[in-house]
Amino acid sequence: MGNNKIFLLATVLCIQFVIIVCVIRGYHPTINAAINLSTATEGSQLLQPLQFQPPTDAATKTSRERTKEIRLESESTRTSPVGTAQHDVGVHLRSANNGGTSQSSNKLTVIVLVKTGPNYFKRRQTTRELWFNRCRSGNYAGDSPHHATENQALRATFDVHCLFVSGTSTNKTINDLLQREQEDKKDIHIAPFVDGYDKMTAKSQWSLLWVLLSQRSSDYVMLVDDDVYVVFGTLLPWLKEQPRTKFYAGHSHYNRMVVLCRHDPGHPNCIDMYGFKERLYPHFASGFAYVLSRDAAALSVMQVVSGSVHGLPGKVEDAMLSVMLARSGVNLQSHYGFVHWIDEHNRCPPHTAVMVVGNVPIKTLHRFAQNEAAGRHVCNNG
């Protein structure tokens, strides 16, 4: 019996070695333009290949070439835009902003991905009305006349594109409504897996991969929840002064303990990941909002594509992102402008240059918009 176990273990190790060698050489046979994040749970599964509609400029490329592209982006800084995306939502991102004007090579392109659930119709509509549609109008600082000069300056420097990202539902009616909303608004990218709390990491990594493949001229990628308020008038000038490479910023969490499911199976955020030995997570940005340079996004995705991350937990998206980035030499830059909302009398003090406020009730989001339109501090309680 003991010899059989040794033989089985040796066989498994040999297979893993062959797979690793294939990945390193760029022969990963199952990438096919994306990763199957639909099976990513808190268990010990390696992410499997995903079939979805890639941009047509990549449609004829082999999986080896597409994998090599992402790897090259993760190893060096992009120097010029490459190609154009023909995917329906990708085209919409390019044409909707600023009346359909083409992007200028000297502008910074920021992609804002809003993580949402398939049944959160009201949240999405509120987000559109309050700040999301500024990506289309180009009135980043606000729609009031007193914002005109500021908007003109921001448009000269930035192209900002906003997009909702949602998985599917197990309810056919919700899926049908979501599809109609996507066809009508053309601002939702629907991931081909069932949405849920255990797919949070899947959604974020899948979204980053989609941006890398379809939005070739992006400089920064920002992921936010659908209950946040984004203050572009503060965010964009700050972002202009930040590094273009190996950049990762948000509201920081420090010294968070790793909870293993085998030790505490009832813990809501426990993980079981093969080979994961860290006792503390690296400092990480709260999942309500964080921003990455394009190469940092590529470094994160390559950790998954290359098979370096096994059994990627689905529930602790923000913490696991920091693990993947830290392994690639990218550390968090904490900033007080990313505000984690608690209540009317806590956080978001008047002296804070707020860029994003997270976990905000819909009623409070409307008040933020009213404050900004009136030229007041966004969190003014008066």
Side-chain angles (χ1 to χ4, degrees):
M1 182 64 70
N3 290 335
N4 289 338
K5 288 184 177 179
I6 293 174
F7 176 79
L8 179 61
L9 178 61
T11 302
V12 171
L13 290 175
C14 287
I15 293 173
Q16 289 182 341
F17 176 77
V18 172
I19 293 173
I20 291 171
V21 170
C22 288
V23 169
I24 292 174
R25 293 183 63 189
Y27 285 93
H28 198 301
T30 58
I31 300 299
N32 196 20
I35 307 162
N36 184 0
L37 301 176
S38 63
T39 58
T41 66
E42 65 275 23
S44 58
Q45 295 173 297
L46 177 64
L47 303 182
Q48 300 298 318
L50 167 69
Q51 301 291 335
F52 78 108
Q53 293 297 324
T56 55
D57 68 332
T60 60
K61 295 184 179 180
T62 65
S63 60
R64 178 183 176 184
E65 288 173 322
R66 283 190 291 267
T67 307
K68 184 179 179 181
E69 281 185 3
I70 299 174
R71 180 178 288 111
L72 289 174
E73 281 208 68
S74 70
E75 293 173 351
S76 62
T77 305
R78 179 184 59 80
T79 57
S80 63
V82 181
T84 56
Q86 300 300 319
H87 189 279
D88 55 347
V89 181
V91 170
H92 181 73
L93 283 177
R94 287 158 139 61
S95 63
N97 190 44
N98 295 333
T101 57
S102 61
Q103 292 179 347
S104 174
S105 60
N106 62 351
K107 290 185 180 183
L108 291 176
T109 301
V110 183
I111 308 295
V112 181
L113 302 175
V114 184
K115 299 171 290 182
T116 184
N119 59 324
Y120 292 162
F121 302 100
K122 185 176 181 180
R123 285 191 190 182
R124 286 192 291 274
Q125 189 55 36
T126 299
T127 300
R128 290 186 186 99
E129 294 170 357
L130 298 185
W131 62 266
F132 183 96
N133 282 345
R134 294 180 187 176
C135 295
R136 296 189 178 189
S137 68
N139 293 334
Y140 303 133
D143 297 320
S144 300
H146 65 265
H147 289 131
T149 302
E150 189 177 0
N151 283 328
Q152 185 176 6
L154 291 175
R155 282 195 295 269
T157 308
F158 291 93
D159 278 319
V160 184
H161 307 283
C162 296
L163 179 74
F164 291 104
V165 179
S166 173
T168 60
S169 172
T170 56
N171 185 303
K172 184 179 182 303
T173 300
I174 291 177
N175 284 335
D176 290 343
L177 291 172
L178 180 64
Q179 186 64 39
R180 286 182 210 164
E181 183 182 2
Q182 195 278 335
E183 293 171 357
D184 178 42
K185 303 294 185 180
K186 293 183 174 59
D187 60 6
I188 308 174
H189 198 62
I190 304 174
F193 52 80
V194 176
D195 214 316
Y197 182 59
D198 62 341
K199 303 290 177 60
M200 292 171 64
T201 304
K203 185 188 293 185
S204 64
Q205 289 299 306
W206 192 90
S207 301
L208 291 176
L209 180 60
W210 183 82
V211 168
L212 291 171
L213 290 173
S214 65
Q215 303 302 308
R216 303 301 183 87
S217 60
S218 56
D219 295 285
Y220 295 100
V221 185
M222 185 172 181
L223 278 79
V224 302
D225 290 340
D226 59 4
D227 58 353
V228 308
Y229 192 85
V230 178
V231 186
F232 287 120
T234 309
L235 172 69
L236 296 180
W238 169 79
L239 201 54
K240 181 182 177 182
E241 305 302 322
Q242 303 312 308
R244 304 288 187 266
T245 60
K246 289 199 170 184
F247 179 69
Y248 164 47
H251 174 86
S252 59
H253 288 301
Y254 296 94
N255 300 323
R256 293 298 179 95
M257 185 73 69
V258 175
V259 180
L260 299 178
C261 294
R262 62 179 177 270
H263 296 157
D264 188 357
H267 195 283
N269 290 325
C270 72
I271 67 170
D272 262 336
M273 201 169 78
Y274 177 75
F276 191 75
K277 299 179 180 180
E278 286 91 337
R279 296 184 62 186
L280 294 174
Y281 289 112
H283 298 166
F284 64 90
S286 179
F288 73 83
Y290 52 84
V291 60
L292 302 166
S293 57
R294 183 181 176 87
D295 69 324
L299 287 166
S300 170
V301 169
M302 277 308 301
Q303 288 282 326
V304 184
V305 171
S306 67
S308 299
V309 180
H310 292 263
L312 191 64
K315 298 178 181 178
V316 285
E317 165 223 354
D318 44 11
M320 287 313 304
L321 176 67
S322 72
V323 172
M324 290 182 281
L325 290 174
R327 289 177 176 179
S328 301
V330 181
N331 297 311
L332 174 68
Q333 176 179 320
S334 176
H335 196 280
Y336 56 82
F338 293 84
V339 177
H340 189 227
W341 184 259
I342 295 179
D343 56 42
E344 299 292 330
H345 307 289
N346 199 357
R347 302 290 178 91
C348 204
H351 64 272
T352 301
V354 175
M355 297 186 293
V356 185
V357 190
N359 304 315
V360 184
I362 287 181
K363 180 179 178 180
T364 307
L365 287 172
H366 281 281
R367 194 186 77 231
F368 287 175
Q370 292 168 0
N371 286 338
E372 191 176 17
R376 298 189 294 264
H377 188 277
V378 66
C379 296
N380 190 301
N381 292 326

